[in-house]
Amino acid sequence: MDKSKNQVLTEKSIRLLQQNQYTFDVNPELTKSEMKDWIEQFFNVKVKGMNSHRLPGRRKGRRVNKLGFSGSLRRKRMIVTLRNNYSIPLFLN
């Protein structure tokens, strides 16, 4: 499970579970097609669609007038929509 860093459980992601959509934080270099293939093989489900977006990096520590974002801490989040009659057991509906 090295491609998916962790499952996301926020208010929005819990609401999306009702629509058979699951949210993951993933490796930023991962593409949608790679993630789709991995999810279908690992969880034995069929993926209907995928949405992804990059989250801003986390703030670096403050120094004298230097404030910015760390490129190494960038994150990518994917929302996976499964076909009907499929579910991922890690998430309870």
Side-chain angles (χ1 to χ4, degrees):
M1 209 164 159
D2 56 339
K3 295 183 185 235
S4 171
K5 291 183 179 176
N6 59 2
Q7 66 210 25
V8 178
L9 292 175
T10 61
E11 289 182 28
K12 180 179 179 180
S13 68
I14 292 171
R15 230 182 14 250
L16 290 174
L17 287 175
Q18 297 171 352
Q19 301 170 11
N20 211 19
Q21 294 181 330
Y22 300 88
T23 308
F24 296 95
D25 280 342
V26 298
N27 186 346
E29 290 84 29
L30 196 63
T31 63
K32 285 184 182 181
S33 58
E34 291 172 343
M35 185 65 181
K36 177 183 176 184
D37 293 339
W38 182 80
I39 286 179
E40 287 181 343
Q41 291 175 1
F42 190 82
F43 294 112
N44 196 23
V45 296
K46 295 291 182 184
V47 174
K48 181 178 177 182
M50 307 235 354
N51 292 337
S52 68
H53 62 279
R54 292 185 184 271
L55 301 168
R58 296 185 182 151
R59 288 186 173 248
K60 288 184 179 179
R62 291 184 182 200
R63 294 190 185 166
V64 183
N65 295 335
K66 289 186 180 180
L67 183 63
F69 292 97
S70 174
S72 64
L73 296 175
R74 289 190 58 90
R75 299 173 294 159
K76 188 174 188 179
R77 185 166 287 171
M78 288 201 180
I79 300 173
V80 180
T81 306
L82 300 182
R83 291 188 182 171
N84 293 338
N85 302 324
Y86 286 100
S87 64
I88 296 177
L90 294 177
F91 296 87
L92 300 174
N93 288 348

